[in-house]
Amino acid sequence: MFDDRYTVAHKIYPYERSPDQDKASAVRHPVVIVGGGPVGIATALDLGQQGVPVLVLDDHEGIGQGSRAICFSKRSLEIADRYGCAGPMIDKGVVWNLGKVFHRDEKVFEFNLLPEEGHKYPAFINLQQPYFERFMVDRLRQLQAAGAPIQLRGKNRVDGIEVHDDHVVLEVMTPDGPYSLEADWLVACDGANSPLRTRLGYEFTGKVFQDSFLIADIRMTGDTEFPTERWFWFEPSHGQGASTLLHKQPDGVWRVDFQIGWDIDRKEEMKEDNIRRRLDAFLGPVRYEIVWSSIYTFQSKRMARFRHGPVIFAGDAAHQVSPFGARGANSGMQDADNLGWKLGLVVQGKAPAKLLDSYSDERVHGADENILNSTRSTDFITPKSEISKIFRDAVLGLARTVAFARPLVNSGRLSVPCVYDGLSLNGPDALTGGPARTRVGAPMVDAPAGDDWLLGLLGGDFRLMTIDAEAPERLEVDRITVTRVALSAKGNPDLAARYLGDATSAVYLMRPDQHVAARWPGFDAAEVTRALKIATRRA
Amino acid sequence: MMTPLNTEPNIANPDDFYARLLAAHEGRSKAESDALNARLVLILCNHIGDTDVLGQAIDLAAEG
Ligand SMILES: Cc1cc2nc3c(=O)[nH]c(=O)nc-3n(C[C@H](O)[C@H](O)[C@H](O)COP(=O)(O)OP(=O)(O)OC[C@H]3O[C@@H](n4cnc5c(N)ncnc54)[C@H](O)[C@@H]3O)c2cc1C
């Protein structure tokens, strides 16, 4: 009656009977999260760290086997840092910077993520998704041990939902049978096929791409080593697909990804002999074992809005993109980052519920950016028409010999955090000459700060960052406390370049998700108060 | 101010130019010619660079 839909790699939240199951009537929780994938767990960490009681329900007893995501962005690591679990990710992950693009085996283009100095985290690491998730669950256990009000229940599958104006009622299935629960707020992080979204009948529209990709994660067992670079072939001469990707992961594992077309026999293709036939044609005489393989197709879709009364959607449940650009899990982490503080303030009665509509507005904006970029990459990698293939091949042909064509080559534009330009929580951008990259709506950019890193110093609350400017140490507006982080740009050229530009002093109001809420050349209590009210929808 | 697309005659020896364009296609298959045209479009677009002008040119071409 309760079968797993996939094999569990790390069984780290085995089913345990909860006292809620023995109550005569449904127990009410402030926040229930459905789905213990990366986005559900990240959201739980965010709320739990704020002291907001949160319950996560997942229909398995641990983390699924097989790495879907492998590329995690700097922004995801910075968010994980705020949650206290970036350390093991960076220790385990593989840092890479160089990407090479080949067309019919000839190199046409090379890019370097060009790590800018003065950041705690690199532009990208490669790490198998099960590790990424595991490190977050380990952190969740640490927080629990320290008294954070987080619960995680394995083999608790949500089978039914009833939505009321101010709460939901859930029907939860367990190995001991069903029980009911209530929640003031429900965060649906139940993945791309979101049973909750389907059950509630919300539309999920966009494009389906007509191509299939065969992934094989392999471990080299001989002496063969490939460099720690991202290699991408268009029309490789080995003939085993219209494109091929090779990318390194930890534990000596390599991701190979073949584009194998739309009309395929899945079962046939998944046979080990057939996978090996492709790999052998590609790799030549090397020895390897297959760690994991899968065939995937993809879509670019999103919900019209991510909040429906007390039900909030996040991660793949709310939006889906093609994997080119590594924008799935990375954008889901930004969802958690964006939602956590807002839901925290609302649950604590410090902000009105309409603040949560800004979560939808901001993350819909992010999803559109991700869908746009990943759709463009997909159109280049899998041209839809004869003429788009002609232009694609023309670009690749020219890129070998002339520089101008190289920026047109698109084998995936890698995830960068979204800037909430022109959206409703933004306060004044009054810093004349201030750098564009830290404009209002942008995520704060890391920089060295003494022996520390700026983002670590700023943390996850409202902050007033002053650079060579005076301001009170503490400010309280409607029960929300803003504390000051005082810095000087003298002897810190990175800080000056990233936050002052042509200005000589600056005051930044930062949101708890480390996005810029407002900035000025100097402190003015009335201005900061006004911006804080805007950022919390109290204005 | 947006630079207007030049739709006035701008090529010194139109017949020479036209002959040169056709000569480049001489003896090529349809597929080779399509590829050549695509390369030519990309090369010229990059030379122009100005996205406003390119936009107007694409619109004019799309009108047919
Ligand atoms: C081939 C491939 C490569 C990718 N590469 C990258 C990459 O390099 N970088 C990147 O950022 N992203 C990548 N992605 C995307 C990434 O894997 C997803 O975006 C990410 O897993 C989404 O996380 P999530 O928490 O929203 O959903 P999921 O990880 O799908 O988690 C959903 C959870 O909800 C549970 N659940 C479902 N229904 C119920 C229910 N009724 N009751 C209780 N629990 C339920 C599920 O069991 C699961 O644990 C890739 C995806 C694919 C397919």
Side-chain angles (χ1 to χ4, degrees), chain A residues 196-407:
Chain A
L196 283 170
R197 190 189 62 222
T198 311
R199 200 172 287 274
L200 294 170
Y202 296 131
E203 62 169 343
F204 193 57
T205 48
K207 274 197 209 177
V208 179
F209 294 95
Q210 302 218 323
D211 221 316
S212 320
F213 290 77
L214 170 73
I215 289 186
D217 282 350
I218 57 175
R219 186 181 289 117
M220 296 297 173
T221 48
D223 329 307
T224 320
E225 267 289 331
F226 299 110
T228 307
E229 298 172 359
R230 179 186 193 265
W231 287 3
F232 192 98
W233 286 261
F234 289 100
E235 303 185 316
S237 67
H238 61 65
Q240 297 306 316
S243 70
T244 303
L245 173 80
L246 180 71
H247 214 174
K248 186 172 186 177
Q249 305 175 47
D251 302 336
V253 173
W254 299 84
R255 156 86 32 112
V256 183
D257 196 342
F258 296 109
Q259 179 186 347
I260 59 173
W262 184 241
D263 284 318
I264 51 149
D265 181 342
R266 268 180 111 85
K267 244 177 135 171
E268 199 53 33
E269 291 293 347
M270 282 299 288
K271 287 187 179 153
E272 170 145 5
D273 281 352
N274 287 325
I275 297 174
R276 283 196 168 265
R277 180 179 47 76
R278 289 188 189 274
L279 286 166
D280 292 344
F282 169 45
L283 297 169
V286 301
R287 282 188 295 144
Y288 59 85
E289 60 184 8
I290 299 175
V291 179
W292 179 66
S293 60
S294 167
I295 290 182
Y296 68 97
T297 57
F298 51 79
Q299 337 184 330
S300 286
K301 288 186 174 176
R302 73 161 167 86
M303 298 177 73
R305 54 198 167 91
F306 299 168
R307 178 190 170 205
H308 290 265
V311 184
I312 300 160
F313 290 83
D316 277 10
H319 47 74
Q320 234 200 314
V321 293
S322 84
F324 301 105
R327 288 165 184 267
N330 287 314
S331 68
M333 289 296 287
Q334 292 172 58
D335 290 351
D337 190 40
N338 190 292
L339 178 60
W341 66 275
K342 294 174 181 174
L343 191 52
L345 288 180
V346 171
V347 171
Q348 293 165 338
K350 294 180 182 175
K354 66 181 178 192
L355 178 60
L356 298 171
D357 290 329
S358 76
Y359 159 75
S360 179
D361 295 346
E362 292 184 337
R363 294 314 301 157
V364 160
H365 178 79
D368 282 345
E369 200 172 283
N370 289 321
I371 288 173
L372 180 74
N373 279 291
S374 73
T375 302
R376 287 174 172 177
S377 303
T378 308
D379 286 345
F380 196 88
I381 294 165
T382 69
K384 288 189 303 292
S385 64
E386 194 188 345
I387 191 69
S388 62
K389 175 134 185 357
I390 290 171
F391 273 113
R392 199 282 301 270
D393 291 347
V395 167
L396 290 171
L398 287 167
R400 276 183 225 178
T401 49
V402 273
F404 91 81
R406 289 171 202 154

Side-chain angles (χ1 to χ4, degrees), chain A residues 5-6 13 34-41 57-60 62 64 67-73 76 124 129 133 156-159 189-196 215 255 257 292 294 296-297 314-317 319 321 323 325-332 415:
Chain A
R5 286 180 292 115
Y6 48 79
Y13 36 90
V34 180
V39 180
I41 298 296
L57 306 174
D58 192 86
D59 61 351
H60 289 70
S67 180
R68 288 177 291 158
I70 57 167
C71 295
F72 290 92
S73 69
S76 289
F124 272 94
Q129 183 167 338
E133 294 187 39
N156 271 239
R157 185 180 70 211
V158 175
D159 279 352
C189 304
D190 50 349
N193 297 320
S194 178
L196 283 170
I215 289 186
R255 156 86 32 112
D257 196 342
W292 179 66
S294 167
Y296 68 97
T297 57
D316 277 10
H319 47 74
V321 293
R327 288 165 184 267
N330 287 314
S331 68
S415 173

Side-chain angles (χ1 to χ4, degrees), chain A residues 93-163:
Chain A
V94 174
V95 177
W96 63 279
N97 288 305
L98 206 60
K100 289 183 180 154
V101 179
F102 304 84
H103 183 212
R104 302 196 186 112
D105 302 352
E106 228 180 286
K107 191 173 90 181
V108 292
F109 178 59
E110 180 172 306
F111 63 87
N112 195 322
L113 298 175
L114 273 186
E116 188 185 51
E117 291 297 310
H119 291 257
K120 182 169 182 186
Y121 292 105
F124 272 94
I125 60 164
N126 281 5
L127 179 68
Q128 290 90 333
Q129 183 167 338
Y131 280 124
F132 187 83
E133 294 187 39
R134 182 176 185 128
F135 297 144
M136 285 204 287
V137 175
D138 289 347
R139 175 60 181 156
L140 186 147
R141 296 298 184 207
Q142 266 180 12
L143 288 173
Q144 281 178 323
I150 312 177
Q151 293 184 56
L152 170 56
R153 296 184 192 163
K155 278 244 160 155
N156 271 239
R157 185 180 70 211
V158 175
D159 279 352
I161 180 170
E162 210 179 277
V163 182

Side-chain angles (χ1 to χ4, degrees), chain A residues 488-532:
Chain A
S488 173
K490 306 218 163 59
N492 191 341
D494 288 333
L495 189 71
R498 291 168 202 178
Y499 289 94
L500 288 180
D502 299 330
T504 50
S505 68
V507 172
Y508 280 75
L509 177 65
M510 183 196 88
R511 316 187 329 187
D513 58 5
Q514 301 184 325
H515 278 251
V516 179
R519 62 178 183 177
W520 308 266
F523 175 77
D524 179 304
E527 278 285 296
V528 173
T529 302
R530 189 168 70 90
L532 191 75

